[in-house]
Amino acid sequence: FPQTYAGVYQTIPSGLCSNVSMFFHANGRCYYHARLMFEHLAQTPEYGPMFISKLWYEAQSESPWQVFPRCDPDPATSLSDEWNRMAQRNITWDYEIFGGKSKDLYRDNFNRPGIESQRYARTLLQSIPYDPEWHRPPKEMTPQQFGWNICPLKATAGRVAFTFSGYVNPERGSDWRTSLVAVDGKDDYRSSDIVGNNQTATLEVRDGDKVYLVVVATPTKVMKINMTGDFRSFEQERFPYRVKLEGCEPLD
């Protein structure tokens, strides 16, 4: 991560981490490039680059995300909310690029023709057969701890809304943060409130907007996860959910 600011190692995470965004942070498929949350916090005024240093050195035997609440200079915005804000950035790749590279380095890579990100970085919600007014992600796309889904929606101008309902495992502290995001023709985005389980959020959509539902698994019981551990482990449990949509539908 420090090499990001030296312009040395700010290579291309958009086509790597986004393809496996449903997995836990720094999983074995993208760990060399799993710095997007660090970049988000470093480029957020309430935190900044030195906050990453503090997280790193405070986390001697813990995960940085376990010590985050003790180090947080802005408790008004929780770690869970910040994970959702980071995922929102990953729709338009709204990051500062250092070292003389293209300011749209991440976005340009993500939009290359034929790249896997065009399919795997988006989660296409499916209607639940026995309860068709609700939708859910495919099982293989359901997020693990701090994994995220960006779900494209089909909507016309006007009010869109969703009601979120997660399937809770109390032992794992199942929880989520979710929001609606609208992106205009200039790649500027705006979002609804970030809400949790069993809550509703709304957003006014304008003509030409692209609309997305952003969901991040943010369990209250944050655990260290062995990068090369068994995917069936308790730590790597997935966090299934369903949503009821209003004024929009999943984009296929």
Side-chain angles (χ1 to χ4, degrees):
F1 169 74
Q3 295 183 71
T4 297
Y5 285 84
V8 176
Y9 195 66
Q10 200 170 22
T11 51
I12 305 168
S14 58
L16 294 168
C17 292
S18 59
N19 291 349
V20 290
S21 64
M22 75 293 294
F23 295 146
F24 65 91
H25 179 251
N27 63 79
R29 296 192 182 186
C30 72
Y31 55 91
Y32 275 113
H33 299 271
R35 63 180 182 276
L36 289 174
M37 185 56 168
F38 288 164
E39 289 197 67
H40 163 70
L41 292 170
Q43 296 178 28
T44 298
E46 291 83 356
Y47 297 96
M50 292 309 295
F51 177 70
I52 309 305
S53 179
K54 184 173 180 63
L55 268 186
W56 195 258
Y57 284 102
E58 289 287 335
Q60 295 297 312
S61 60
E62 299 171 281
S63 158
W65 312 123
Q66 290 175 308
V67 304
F68 185 100
R70 302 201 300 268
C71 302
D72 190 357
D74 184 27
T77 59
S78 68
L79 173 62
S80 298
D81 288 349
E82 291 302 334
W83 272 100
N84 192 275
R85 291 189 177 95
M86 184 275 291
Q88 291 179 13
R89 279 185 187 248
N90 298 342
I91 298 174
T92 63
W93 300 105
D94 180 31
Y95 294 91
E96 186 174 357
I97 304 298
F98 299 90
K101 302 180 178 73
S102 165
K103 66 182 181 66
D104 294 323
L105 177 68
Y106 293 172
R107 187 182 307 169
D108 290 346
N109 175 70
F110 183 81
N111 290 323
R112 282 186 301 155
I115 193 170
E116 289 181 340
S117 302
Q118 297 300 325
R119 172 61 183 90
Y120 295 110
R122 298 291 181 259
T123 300
L124 305 181
L125 295 173
Q126 302 173 337
S127 177
I128 299 177
Y130 54 83
D131 200 358
E133 66 178 354
W134 289 84
H135 292 82
R136 66 187 178 192
K139 182 178 180 180
E140 67 273 12
M141 301 291 281
T142 304
Q144 297 175 332
Q145 175 179 285
F146 297 134
W148 70 86
N149 292 154
I150 296 174
C151 311
L153 304 175
K154 182 180 180 180
T156 55
R159 175 184 175 274
V160 298
F162 71 88
T163 300
F164 186 90
S165 177
Y167 297 94
V168 174
N169 175 1
E171 292 184 11
R172 192 63 175 82
S174 304
D175 200 8
W176 299 259
R177 288 297 180 273
T178 187
S179 60
L180 286 165
V181 174
V183 181
D184 66 19
K186 297 180 180 179
D187 270 345
D188 292 327
Y189 70 93
R190 61 192 187 282
S191 72
S192 69
D193 292 337
I194 297 172
V195 298
N197 195 24
N198 297 319
Q199 293 184 310
T200 297
T202 64
L203 185 66
E204 287 295 323
V205 174
R206 304 166 187 162
D207 286 332
D209 282 348
K210 295 180 179 179
V211 184
Y212 302 88
L213 175 74
V214 178
V215 180
V216 185
T218 57
T220 57
K221 185 176 182 179
V222 177
M223 304 183 73
K224 289 197 300 182
I225 303 178
N226 183 350
M227 185 180 70
T228 58
D230 192 326
F231 71 93
R232 293 164 293 194
S233 68
F234 184 61
E235 294 83 358
Q236 293 194 41
E237 180 173 320
R238 293 182 184 262
F239 296 89
Y241 62 87
R242 61 179 185 160
V243 291
K244 182 183 290 185
L245 302 171
E246 298 178 42
C248 58
E249 61 186 33
L251 181 65
D252 187 347

